[in-house]
Amino acid sequence: NFSFRRIGSWRGSANVSGSRSWRDAEGLDPAFARSSTSWNARLNLNGNLVGDLSMQSSMRYRAASRSLQGRDGSQVSADLSFRYRFLDRRASASLSLRDPLGLQRSESEIRTATLWELRESSRDSRSAQLSISWAFGGGAPRAGGRGGR
């Protein structure tokens, strides 16, 4: 994990992780023995665009890897969100965009002693969600603490 140094109102973080698995197939045909390594990364960035308009983005990457049964292809995705605060910051409008660039795809290959299967899928997972929210109550604190007399 890594957090980027704050620049103005912008901040971000990155995460890289990996894993390793193996199957020794002891007592079975050596063709069943396999190992696999995989890694993935995530990048987050958020901050103010202008005034009361802020943005948050999230990008993910999973590298192609050999699996115990064959191969898993790489995957990429990105999401964006915008929030605008108004009416003395008591109200906000948020717009969330899932996979706005249409990057989400997957592929895999299964190879065993008796089966060979190739798969590729691509579906449009793009979506947008708009929400409006309002903060009730609150206001400036009263003199003397919690407002009791």
Side-chain angles (χ1 to χ4, degrees):
N1 290 320
F2 179 78
S3 293
F4 298 105
R5 177 176 277 177
R6 189 178 185 128
I7 299 175
S9 70
W10 292 91
R11 55 189 180 270
S13 64
N15 172 277
V16 176
S17 61
S19 67
R20 176 115 174 111
S21 60
W22 61 92
R23 179 175 65 190
D24 65 11
E26 186 176 323
L28 299 173
D29 186 327
F32 291 112
R34 296 241 170 107
S35 66
S36 69
T37 302
S38 65
W39 69 273
N40 50 85
R42 183 179 184 123
L43 178 65
N44 296 302
L45 179 67
N46 59 62
N48 270 4
L49 289 172
V50 62
D52 288 327
L53 178 63
S54 62
M55 183 191 87
Q56 179 177 349
S57 66
S58 176
M59 292 153 268
R60 294 167 300 283
Y61 175 76
R62 187 187 80 192
S65 65
R66 298 217 68 69
S67 68
L68 294 174
Q69 291 82 22
R71 180 182 178 281
D72 291 324
S74 63
Q75 290 184 349
V76 177
S77 65
D79 299 327
L80 287 172
S81 297
F82 300 93
R83 181 173 66 174
Y84 179 69
R85 291 183 164 191
F86 55 99
L87 297 176
D88 292 329
R89 299 179 65 92
R90 293 179 64 119
S92 67
S94 299
L95 175 64
S96 297
L97 305 172
R98 181 181 169 139
D99 194 27
L101 303 174
L103 299 173
Q104 210 161 15
R105 296 178 188 357
S106 67
E107 63 181 59
S108 66
E109 176 181 327
I110 297 173
R111 281 191 187 202
T112 65
T114 59
L115 173 70
W116 183 20
E117 178 179 284
L118 299 173
R119 290 184 186 179
E120 184 175 329
S121 75
S122 173
R123 64 174 189 213
D124 191 354
S125 62
R126 291 182 284 184
S127 65
Q129 178 179 351
L130 178 64
S131 61
I132 307 291
S133 61
W134 175 265
F136 292 98
R142 296 181 184 177
R146 295 191 151 160
R149 293 189 175 181

